Amino acid sequence: MILQGKRGLIVGLANADSIAWGITQVAHQQGAQLGFTYLNAAIEKRMRPLAEGIGAAFIEPCDVNDEASLDALFQKIAQEWGGLDFLVHSVAFAQREDLMGRFCDTSRQGFLTALETSAYSLVALARRAQPLMKEGGSIVTLSYYGAEKAVQNYNVMGVAKAALEASVRYLALDLGPQNIRVNAISAGAIKTLSARGIHGFSEMLHLTQERAPLKRCLSALEVGRSAAFLLSDQASAITGETLHVDCGYNIVGM
Ligand code: 1JT
């Protein structure tokens, strides 16, 4: 029970395929108390039964791109718990048309949207989490290989994930003195709601399975186990790190 007695906020649970659901299940198993946010009624409909099923402490609406909405969320957390031990950021967005074709065709608005929702949102959440993490804390976000290498079609999300991974390092530097650790998990491709509808995603899954050292695909629960480790005191000396949880895909050369 490595998260026994810890209070954690999960941002980005959409449905039972979400990486955040894999993390939620393991965190709950490991003894954490959890609170959740949702963006809108359509997402709430799918995530509420899941969150209620594990005895969520609260389920609050939150648009991570809206300052007032974030302020209201953290007011609720302060009121409910009076503190916070960990935060899971499992949020990203890009316009569909920006996840195909040529990166150089990305519009200004498409670029800003992807960077705001996928990278700045971590900064906005971390700033508000800090005063609640009075005895230290741990923050985990989700990244992808496209942050490090130019991956066909990932395009502006790769740029956003590069900004996210750099933000993890700068947040780790800022929050380290308060014993707040900040890390990313670079997860191998998983078939989630976000990934569905992406042209050629199934073929991509097959290719990564063939090339990865472990010769198989990855589950959200496996990401969850690694996240639980980073969120726990077992990882007390790890901060600013991007941990690859990808069946080894990233270490393979030609
Ligand atoms: C988003 C989407 C963020 C899909 C994502 C993502 N991070 C990883 N994926 C899966 C993926 C997608 C592409 C890809 C490889 C993996 C969709 C909604 C916006 C946020 O291309 C090689 C395109």
Side-chain angles (χ1 to χ4, degrees), residues 92-94 99 144 151-154 157 161 194-195 198 201 204:
F93 180 74
L99 294 172
Y144 178 66
V151 176
Q152 198 77 246
N153 295 323
Y154 200 61
M157 270 313 303
K161 292 301 193 185
S194 289
I198 284 170
F201 191 81
M204 202 197 80

Side-chain angles (χ1 to χ4, degrees), residues 191-208:
K191 204 157 200 165
T192 68
L193 182 66
S194 289
R196 214 169 288 150
I198 284 170
H199 191 73
F201 191 81
S202 294
E203 289 85 339
M204 202 197 80
L205 275 185
H206 277 114
L207 235 117
T208 52

